[in-house]
Coordinates of all heavy atoms in Angstrom, one line a residue:
M1333 N 148.9 121.4 101.8 CA 149.4 121.6 103.2 C 150.4 120.6 103.6 O 151.4 120.9 104.3 CB 148.2 121.6 104.1 CG 148.5 122.0 105.5 SD 148.7 123.8 105.6 CE 148.5 124.1 107.2
A1334 N 150.2 119.3 103.3 CA 151.1 118.3 103.7 C 152.4 118.4 103.0 O 153.5 118.1 103.6 CB 150.5 116.9 103.3
K1335 N 152.5 119.0 101.8 CA 153.7 119.2 101.1 C 154.6 120.3 101.9 O 155.8 120.1 102.1 CB 153.5 119.6 99.7 CG 154.7 119.7 98.8 CD 154.3 120.0 97.4 CE 155.5 119.9 96.5 NZ 155.2 120.2 95.1
S1336 N 153.9 121.3 102.3 CA 154.7 122.4 103.0 C 155.1 121.9 104.4 O 156.2 122.3 104.9 CB 153.9 123.7 103.1 OG 152.7 123.5 103.9
R1337 N 154.3 121.1 105.0 CA 154.7 120.5 106.3 C 155.9 119.6 106.2 O 156.8 119.7 107.0 CB 153.5 119.8 106.9 CG 153.7 119.4 108.4 CD 152.5 118.8 109.0 NE 151.4 119.8 108.9 CZ 150.1 119.5 109.1 NH1 149.7 118.3 109.3 NH2 149.2 120.4 109.0
K1338 N 155.9 118.8 105.1 CA 157.0 117.9 104.9 C 158.3 118.8 104.6 O 159.4 118.4 105.1 CB 156.7 117.0 103.7 CG 157.8 116.0 103.4 CD 157.5 115.2 102.2 CE 158.6 114.3 101.8 NZ 158.4 113.5 100.6
F1339 N 158.1 119.8 103.8 CA 159.3 120.7 103.5 C 159.8 121.3 104.8 O 161.0 121.3 105.0 CB 158.8 121.8 102.5 CG 160.0 122.8 102.2 CD1 160.9 122.5 101.2 CD2 160.1 124.0 102.9 CE1 161.9 123.3 101.0 CE2 161.1 124.8 102.6 CZ 162.0 124.5 101.6
L1340 N 158.9 121.9 105.6 CA 159.4 122.5 106.9 C 160.1 121.5 107.8 O 161.1 121.8 108.5 CB 158.2 123.1 107.6 CG 157.8 124.5 107.1 CD1 156.6 125.0 107.8 CD2 158.9 125.5 107.2
K1341 N 159.5 120.3 107.9 CA 160.1 119.2 108.7 C 161.5 118.9 108.3 O 162.4 118.8 109.0 CB 159.2 118.0 108.7 CG 159.7 116.9 109.7 CD 158.7 115.7 109.7 CE 159.2 114.7 110.6 NZ 158.3 113.5 110.6
G1342 N 161.7 118.8 106.9 CA 163.0 118.6 106.3 C 163.9 119.7 106.6 O 165.1 119.5 106.9
Y1343 N 163.4 120.9 106.5 CA 164.3 122.1 106.8 C 164.8 122.1 108.2 O 166.0 122.3 108.5 CB 163.5 123.4 106.4 CG 164.3 124.6 107.0 CD1 165.5 125.0 106.4 CD2 163.8 125.4 108.0 CE1 166.2 126.1 106.8 CE2 164.5 126.4 108.5 CZ 165.7 126.8 107.9 OH 166.4 127.9 108.4
F1344 N 163.9 121.9 109.2 CA 164.3 121.9 110.6 C 165.2 120.8 110.9 O 166.2 121.0 111.6 CB 163.1 121.9 111.5 CG 162.3 123.2 111.5 CD1 161.0 123.3 111.2 CD2 163.0 124.4 111.9 CE1 160.3 124.5 111.2 CE2 162.3 125.6 112.0 CZ 161.0 125.7 111.6
A1345 N 165.1 119.7 110.2 CA 166.0 118.6 110.4 C 167.4 119.0 109.8 O 168.4 118.6 110.4 CB 165.5 117.3 109.8
S1346 N 167.4 119.7 108.8 CA 168.6 120.1 108.1 C 169.5 121.1 108.9 O 170.6 121.3 108.7 CB 168.4 120.7 106.7 OG 167.8 122.0 106.8
L1347 N 168.8 121.7 109.9 CA 169.6 122.7 110.8 C 170.7 122.1 111.5 O 171.7 122.8 111.9 CB 168.6 123.4 111.8 CG 167.6 124.3 111.2 CD1 166.6 124.8 112.2 CD2 168.3 125.5 110.5
I1348 N 170.7 120.7 111.7 CA 171.8 120.0 112.4 C 172.4 119.0 111.5 O 173.1 118.1 112.0 CB 171.3 119.4 113.7 CG1 170.1 118.5 113.5 CG2 171.0 120.5 114.7 CD1 169.7 117.7 114.8
E1349 N 172.1 119.0 110.2 CA 172.6 118.1 109.2 C 174.1 118.3 109.1 O 174.6 119.3 108.8 CB 172.0 118.3 107.9 CG 172.5 117.5 106.7 CD 172.3 116.0 106.9 OE1 171.2 115.6 107.3 OE2 173.2 115.2 106.7
P1350 N 174.9 117.2 109.4 CA 176.4 117.3 109.4 C 177.0 117.8 108.1 O 178.0 118.5 108.1 CB 176.9 115.9 109.7 CG 175.7 115.3 110.4 CD 174.5 115.9 109.9
K1351 N 176.3 117.6 106.9 CA 176.9 118.1 105.7 C 176.6 119.6 105.5 O 177.3 120.2 104.7 CB 176.4 117.2 104.5 CG 175.0 117.3 104.2 CD 174.6 116.4 103.0 CE 173.1 116.4 102.8 NZ 172.8 115.4 101.8
F1352 N 175.7 120.1 106.2 CA 175.3 121.6 106.0 C 176.0 122.4 107.1 O 176.3 123.6 106.8 CB 173.8 121.8 106.1 CG 173.0 121.2 105.0 CD1 171.6 120.9 105.2 CD2 173.5 120.8 103.8 CE1 170.9 120.4 104.2 CE2 172.8 120.3 102.8 CZ 171.4 120.1 103.0
V1353 N 176.2 121.9 108.3 CA 176.6 122.7 109.4 C 177.9 123.4 109.3 O 178.0 124.6 109.6 CB 176.6 121.9 110.7 CG1 177.2 122.6 111.9 CG2 175.1 121.5 111.1
P1354 N 179.0 122.8 108.8 CA 180.3 123.5 108.7 C 180.2 124.7 107.9 O 180.7 125.8 108.3 CB 181.2 122.4 108.1 CG 180.6 121.1 108.4 CD 179.1 121.4 108.4
T1355 N 179.6 124.7 106.7 CA 179.5 125.9 105.9 C 178.6 126.9 106.5 O 179.0 128.1 106.5 CB 178.9 125.5 104.5 OG1 179.7 124.5 103.9 CG2 178.8 126.7 103.6
A1356 N 177.5 126.5 107.1 CA 176.6 127.5 107.8 C 177.3 128.2 108.9 O 177.1 129.4 109.2 CB 175.3 126.8 108.2
L1357 N 178.1 127.4 109.7 CA 178.8 128.0 110.8 C 179.8 129.1 110.3 O 179.9 130.1 110.9 CB 179.5 127.0 111.6 CG 178.6 126.2 112.6 CD1 179.4 125.0 113.3 CD2 178.0 127.0 113.6
K1358 N 180.5 128.7 109.3 CA 181.5 129.7 108.7 C 180.8 131.0 108.2 O 181.3 132.1 108.5 CB 182.3 129.1 107.6 CG 183.2 128.0 108.0 CD 183.9 127.3 106.8 CE 184.6 126.0 107.2 NZ 185.0 125.2 106.1
V1359 N 179.7 130.8 107.5 CA 179.0 132.0 107.1 C 178.4 132.8 108.2 O 178.5 134.0 108.2 CB 177.8 131.5 106.1 CG1 176.9 132.7 105.8 CG2 178.4 131.0 104.8
A1360 N 177.9 132.1 109.2 CA 177.4 132.8 110.4 C 178.4 133.6 111.1 O 178.2 134.7 111.6 CB 176.7 131.8 111.3
V1361 N 179.6 133.0 111.3 CA 180.7 133.7 112.0 C 181.1 135.0 111.2 O 181.3 136.1 111.7 CB 181.9 132.8 112.2 CG1 183.1 133.6 112.7 CG2 181.5 131.8 113.3
V1362 N 181.3 134.8 109.9 CA 181.8 135.9 109.1 C 180.7 137.0 108.9 O 181.0 138.2 109.3 CB 182.3 135.4 107.7 CG1 182.6 136.6 106.7 CG2 183.5 134.5 107.8
V1363 N 179.6 136.6 108.4 CA 178.5 137.6 108.2 C 178.0 138.2 109.5 O 177.8 139.4 109.7 CB 177.3 137.0 107.4 CG1 176.1 137.9 107.3 CG2 177.8 136.5 106.0
G1364 N 177.8 137.3 110.5 CA 177.4 137.7 111.8 C 178.3 138.7 112.5 O 177.9 139.7 113.1
S1365 N 179.6 138.5 112.3 CA 180.6 139.4 112.9 C 180.6 140.8 112.2 O 180.7 141.8 112.9 CB 182.0 138.8 112.8 OG 182.1 137.7 113.6
I1366 N 180.4 140.8 110.9 CA 180.3 142.0 110.2 C 179.1 142.8 110.6 O 179.1 144.0 110.9 CB 180.3 141.8 108.7 CG1 181.7 141.3 108.2 CG2 179.9 143.1 107.9 CD1 181.7 140.7 106.8
L1367 N 178.0 142.1 110.7 CA 176.7 142.7 111.1 C 176.8 143.2 112.6 O 176.3 144.2 113.0 CB 175.5 141.8 110.9 CG 175.2 141.5 109.5 CD1 174.1 140.4 109.4 CD2 174.7 142.8 108.8
F1368 N 177.5 142.4 113.4 CA 177.6 142.7 114.8 C 178.4 144.0 115.0 O 178.0 144.9 115.7 CB 178.3 141.6 115.6 CG 178.5 141.9 117.1 CD1 177.5 141.6 118.0 CD2 179.6 142.6 117.5 CE1 177.6 141.9 119.3 CE2 179.8 142.9 118.9 CZ 178.8 142.6 119.8
A1369 N 179.5 144.1 114.2 CA 180.3 145.3 114.3 C 179.5 146.6 113.8 O 179.6 147.6 114.4 CB 181.6 145.2 113.4
I1370 N 178.7 146.4 112.8 CA 177.9 147.5 112.2 C 176.9 147.9 113.2 O 176.7 149.1 113.5 CB 177.3 147.1 110.9 CG1 178.4 147.0 109.8 CG2 176.2 148.2 110.5 CD1 177.9 146.4 108.5
N1371 N 176.1 146.9 113.8 CA 174.9 147.2 114.6 C 175.2 147.4 116.1 O 174.4 148.1 116.7 CB 173.9 146.1 114.4 CG 173.4 146.1 113.0 OD1 173.1 147.1 112.3 ND2 173.2 144.9 112.4
H1372 N 176.2 146.8 116.6 CA 176.4 146.7 118.0 C 177.9 147.2 118.4 O 178.1 147.2 119.6 CB 176.2 145.3 118.6 CG 174.8 144.8 118.2 ND1 173.7 145.3 118.7 CD2 174.5 143.8 117.3 CE1 172.6 144.6 118.1 NE2 173.1 143.7 117.3
G1373 N 178.7 147.4 117.5 CA 180.1 147.7 117.8 C 180.3 148.9 118.8 O 181.0 148.8 119.8
S1374 N 179.6 150.0 118.5 CA 179.8 151.2 119.3 C 179.2 150.9 120.7 O 179.8 151.4 121.7 CB 179.2 152.4 118.7 OG 177.8 152.2 118.5
A1375 N 178.1 150.2 120.8 CA 177.5 149.9 122.1 C 178.4 149.0 122.9 O 178.6 149.2 124.1 CB 176.1 149.2 121.9
L1376 N 179.1 148.1 122.3 CA 180.0 147.2 123.0 C 181.2 148.0 123.5 O 181.6 147.8 124.7 CB 180.5 146.0 122.0 CG 181.4 145.0 122.7 CD1 180.7 144.2 123.7 CD2 182.0 144.1 121.6
L1377 N 181.7 148.9 122.7 CA 182.9 149.6 123.0 C 182.6 150.6 124.2 O 183.5 151.0 124.9 CB 183.5 150.4 121.8 CG 184.1 149.4 120.8 CD1 184.5 150.3 119.5 CD2 185.3 148.7 121.3
T1378 N 181.4 151.1 124.2 CA 181.0 152.1 125.2 C 180.3 151.5 126.5 O 179.9 152.2 127.4 CB 180.1 153.2 124.7 OG1 178.9 152.6 124.2 CG2 180.7 154.0 123.6
G1379 N 180.2 150.1 126.4 CA 179.6 149.4 127.6 C 178.1 149.5 127.7 O 177.6 149.5 128.8
N1380 N 177.5 149.8 126.6 CA 176.0 149.9 126.6 C 175.3 148.7 126.0 O 174.3 148.8 125.4 CB 175.6 151.1 125.7 CG 176.1 152.4 126.4 OD1 176.1 152.5 127.6 ND2 176.5 153.4 125.6
M1381 N 175.8 147.5 126.3 CA 175.2 146.3 125.9 C 174.3 145.7 126.9 O 174.7 145.0 127.8 CB 176.3 145.2 125.5 CG 177.1 145.5 124.3 SD 176.2 145.5 122.8 CE 175.9 143.8 122.6
G1382 N 173.0 146.1 126.8 CA 172.0 145.6 127.8 C 171.5 144.3 127.3 O 171.9 143.7 126.3
R1383 N 170.5 143.7 128.1 CA 170.0 142.4 127.8 C 169.3 142.3 126.4 O 169.6 141.4 125.6 CB 168.9 142.1 128.9 CG 168.3 140.7 128.7 CD 167.3 140.5 129.8 NE 166.2 139.7 129.4 CZ 165.1 140.0 128.7 NH1 165.0 141.3 128.3 NH2 164.2 139.2 128.4
D1384 N 168.5 143.4 126.1 CA 167.9 143.4 124.8 C 168.9 143.4 123.6 O 168.7 142.8 122.6 CB 166.9 144.6 124.7 CG 165.7 144.4 125.5 OD1 165.4 143.3 126.0 OD2 165.0 145.4 125.8
R1385 N 169.9 144.2 123.8 CA 171.0 144.3 122.7 C 171.7 143.0 122.6 O 172.1 142.6 121.5 CB 171.9 145.4 123.0 CG 172.7 145.8 121.8 CD 173.6 147.0 122.0 NE 172.9 148.3 121.7 CZ 172.9 148.8 120.5 NH1 173.4 148.2 119.4 NH2 172.4 150.0 120.3
W1386 N 172.0 142.3 123.7 CA 172.6 141.0 123.6 C 171.7 139.9 122.9 O 172.2 139.1 122.1 CB 173.0 140.4 125.0 CG 174.3 141.0 125.4 CD1 174.5 141.9 126.5 CD2 175.6 140.8 124.9 NE1 175.8 142.2 126.6 CE2 176.5 141.6 125.6 CE3 176.1 140.1 123.8 CZ2 177.9 141.7 125.3 CZ3 177.5 140.2 123.5 CH2 178.3 140.9 124.2
I1387 N 170.5 140.0 123.1 CA 169.5 139.1 122.4 C 169.6 139.4 120.9 O 169.7 138.5 120.1 CB 168.1 139.3 122.9 CG1 168.0 138.7 124.3 CG2 167.1 138.6 122.0 CD1 166.7 139.0 125.1
S1388 N 169.6 140.7 120.6 CA 169.7 141.1 119.2 C 171.0 140.7 118.6 O 171.1 140.3 117.4 CB 169.5 142.6 119.1 OG 169.7 143.1 117.8
A1389 N 172.1 140.8 119.4 CA 173.4 140.4 118.9 C 173.5 138.9 118.6 O 174.1 138.4 117.6 CB 174.5 140.7 119.9
I1390 N 172.8 138.1 119.4 CA 172.8 136.6 119.2 C 172.0 136.3 117.9 O 172.5 135.5 117.1 CB 172.1 135.9 120.4 CG1 173.1 135.9 121.6 CG2 171.8 134.4 120.0 CD1 172.4 135.6 122.9
L1391 N 170.9 137.0 117.7 CA 170.2 136.8 116.4 C 171.0 137.3 115.2 O 170.8 136.7 114.1 CB 168.9 137.6 116.5 CG 167.8 137.1 117.5 CD1 166.6 138.0 117.6 CD2 167.4 135.7 117.0
T1392 N 171.9 138.2 115.4 CA 172.8 138.6 114.3 C 173.6 137.5 113.8 O 174.0 137.5 112.6 CB 173.7 139.8 114.9 OG1 172.9 140.8 115.3 CG2 174.7 140.2 113.8
Y1393 N 173.9 136.5 114.6 CA 174.6 135.3 114.2 C 173.7 134.1 113.8 O 174.0 133.4 112.9 CB 175.6 134.8 115.3 CG 176.8 135.7 115.5 CD1 176.7 136.8 116.4 CD2 177.9 135.5 114.8 CE1 177.8 137.6 116.6 CE2 179.0 136.4 114.9 CZ 178.9 137.4 115.8 OH 180.0 138.3 116.0
V1394 N 172.6 134.0 114.4 CA 171.6 132.9 114.2 C 171.0 133.1 112.8 O 170.9 132.1 112.1 CB 170.6 132.9 115.3 CG1 169.5 131.9 114.9 CG2 171.2 132.5 116.6
V1395 N 170.6 134.3 112.4 CA 169.9 134.5 111.2 C 170.7 134.1 110.0 O 170.3 133.4 109.1 CB 169.3 135.9 111.0 CG1 168.8 136.2 109.6 CG2 168.2 136.2 112.1
P1396 N 172.0 134.5 109.9 CA 172.8 134.0 108.7 C 173.0 132.5 108.7 O 173.0 131.9 107.6 CB 174.2 134.7 108.9 CG 173.9 135.9 109.7 CD 172.7 135.5 110.6
Y1397 N 173.0 131.9 109.9 CA 173.1 130.4 109.9 C 171.9 129.8 109.3 O 171.9 129.0 108.4 CB 173.3 130.0 111.4 CG 173.4 128.5 111.5 CD1 174.6 127.8 111.4 CD2 172.2 127.7 111.8 CE1 174.6 126.4 111.5 CE2 172.3 126.4 112.0 CZ 173.5 125.7 111.8 OH 173.5 124.4 111.9
F1398 N 170.7 130.3 109.8 CA 169.4 129.7 109.2 C 169.3 130.0 107.7 O 168.8 129.1 107.0 CB 168.2 130.4 110.0 CG 167.9 129.8 111.3 CD1 168.8 129.0 112.0 CD2 166.7 130.1 111.9 CE1 168.5 128.5 113.2 CE2 166.4 129.5 113.2 CZ 167.3 128.7 113.8
V1399 N 169.7 131.2 107.3 CA 169.6 131.5 105.9 C 170.5 130.6 105.0 O 170.1 130.1 104.0 CB 169.9 133.0 105.6 CG1 170.0 133.3 104.1 CG2 168.8 133.8 106.3
N1400 N 171.7 130.4 105.5 CA 172.6 129.5 104.8 C 172.1 128.1 104.7 O 172.2 127.4 103.7 CB 174.0 129.6 105.4 CG 175.0 128.8 104.6 OD1 175.2 127.6 104.8 ND2 175.6 129.4 103.6
I1401 N 171.6 127.6 105.8 CA 171.1 126.2 105.8 C 169.9 126.2 104.9 O 169.8 125.2 104.1 CB 170.6 125.8 107.3 CG1 171.8 125.7 108.2 CG2 169.7 124.5 107.2 CD1 172.6 124.4 108.0
H1402 N 169.1 127.2 104.9 CA 167.9 127.2 103.9 C 168.4 127.1 102.5 O 167.9 126.4 101.7 CB 167.1 128.5 104.2 CG 165.9 128.6 103.2 ND1 166.0 129.3 102.1 CD2 164.7 128.1 103.3 CE1 164.8 129.2 101.5 NE2 164.0 128.4 102.2
G1403 N 169.4 127.9 102.2 CA 170.0 127.9 100.8 C 170.5 126.5 100.4 O 170.3 126.0 99.3
Q1404 N 171.2 125.9 101.3 CA 171.8 124.6 101.1 C 170.6 123.5 100.9 O 170.6 122.7 100.0 CB 172.7 124.1 102.2 CG 174.0 124.9 102.2 CD 174.9 124.4 103.3 OE1 175.5 123.3 103.2 NE2 175.0 125.1 104.4
Y1405 N 169.6 123.6 101.8 CA 168.5 122.7 101.8 C 167.7 122.9 100.5 O 167.4 121.9 99.8 CB 167.6 122.9 103.0 CG 166.4 122.0 103.0 CD1 166.6 120.6 103.3 CD2 165.1 122.5 102.8 CE1 165.5 119.8 103.3 CE2 164.1 121.6 102.9 CZ 164.3 120.3 103.1 OH 163.2 119.4 103.1
I1406 N 167.4 124.1 100.1 CA 166.7 124.3 98.9 C 167.4 123.8 97.7 O 166.8 123.2 96.8 CB 166.4 125.9 98.7 CG1 165.4 126.3 99.7 CG2 166.1 126.2 97.3 CD1 164.0 125.9 99.3
S1407 N 168.7 124.0 97.6 CA 169.5 123.6 96.5 C 169.4 122.1 96.4 O 169.2 121.6 95.2 CB 171.0 124.0 96.8 OG 171.8 123.5 95.7
I1408 N 169.5 121.3 97.4 CA 169.4 119.9 97.4 C 168.0 119.4 97.1 O 167.7 118.5 96.3 CB 170.0 119.2 98.6 CG1 171.5 119.5 98.7 CG2 169.6 117.8 98.8 CD1 172.3 118.6 99.5
H1409 N 167.0 120.1 97.7 CA 165.6 119.8 97.6 C 165.2 119.9 96.1 O 164.4 119.1 95.6 CB 164.8 120.6 98.5 CG 163.3 120.3 98.5 ND1 162.8 119.2 99.1 CD2 162.3 121.0 98.0 CE1 161.5 119.2 99.0 NE2 161.2 120.3 98.3
R1410 N 165.7 120.9 95.4 CA 165.3 121.2 94.0 C 165.9 120.2 93.1 O 165.3 120.0 92.0 CB 165.7 122.6 93.6 CG 164.8 123.7 94.2 CD 165.1 125.0 93.7 NE 164.1 126.0 94.3 CZ 164.4 127.3 94.3 NH1 165.5 127.8 93.8 NH2 163.5 128.1 94.9
R1411 N 167.0 119.6 93.4 CA 167.6 118.6 92.5 C 166.9 117.3 92.5 O 167.0 116.5 91.6 CB 169.1 118.4 93.0 CG 170.0 119.5 92.6 CD 171.4 119.1 92.9 NE 172.1 120.3 93.5 CZ 173.1 120.2 94.3 NH1 173.6 119.1 94.6 NH2 173.7 121.3 94.7
K1412 N 166.1 117.1 93.5 CA 165.4 115.8 93.7 C 164.2 115.7 92.7 O 163.6 116.6 92.3 CB 164.9 115.5 95.1 CG 166.1 115.3 96.0 CD 165.5 115.0 97.4 CE 166.7 114.7 98.3 NZ 166.3 114.5 99.7

């Protein structure tokens, strides 16, 4: 249990790690924009973006950021 807690603590700290953030932001913008266009593009163009859809749209960018940080963190964590 302590090992997984340490891992999670390290992962959450890595979300704002300066060496990880630039790459994660680039991935989030590119992948998030593609996913946004696929999932929310028509709603945006027709003016049907309600509160719930905006929350979903934000997550469309947040999830690729978290996944990229996770990949970078795992890569460095496994080398140790």
Side-chain angles (χ1 to χ4, degrees):
M1333 188 74 160
K1335 190 175 184 179
S1336 63
R1337 192 173 297 162
K1338 182 180 175 184
F1339 179 83
L1340 281 175
K1341 186 177 179 180
Y1343 169 69
F1344 286 120
S1346 72
L1347 291 173
I1348 57 171
E1349 174 65 44
K1351 65 183 176 185
F1352 295 159
V1353 170
T1355 301
L1357 283 175
K1358 290 174 192 170
V1359 168
V1361 167
V1362 172
V1363 174
S1365 295
I1366 292 167
L1367 292 173
F1368 181 89
I1370 292 168
N1371 295 320
H1372 307 289
S1374 63
L1376 181 67
L1377 293 174
T1378 59
N1380 293 324
M1381 291 293 289
R1383 182 180 149 282
D1384 290 344
R1385 195 174 272 271
W1386 278 114
I1387 291 169
S1388 179
I1390 290 167
L1391 290 173
T1392 300
Y1393 288 92
V1394 171
V1395 170
Y1397 179 86
F1398 281 15
V1399 170
N1400 184 271
I1401 293 287
H1402 180 266
Q1404 292 182 74
Y1405 180 69
I1406 285 289
S1407 177
I1408 292 201
H1409 184 73
R1410 285 186 179 160
R1411 287 187 218 155
K1412 292 182 178 179

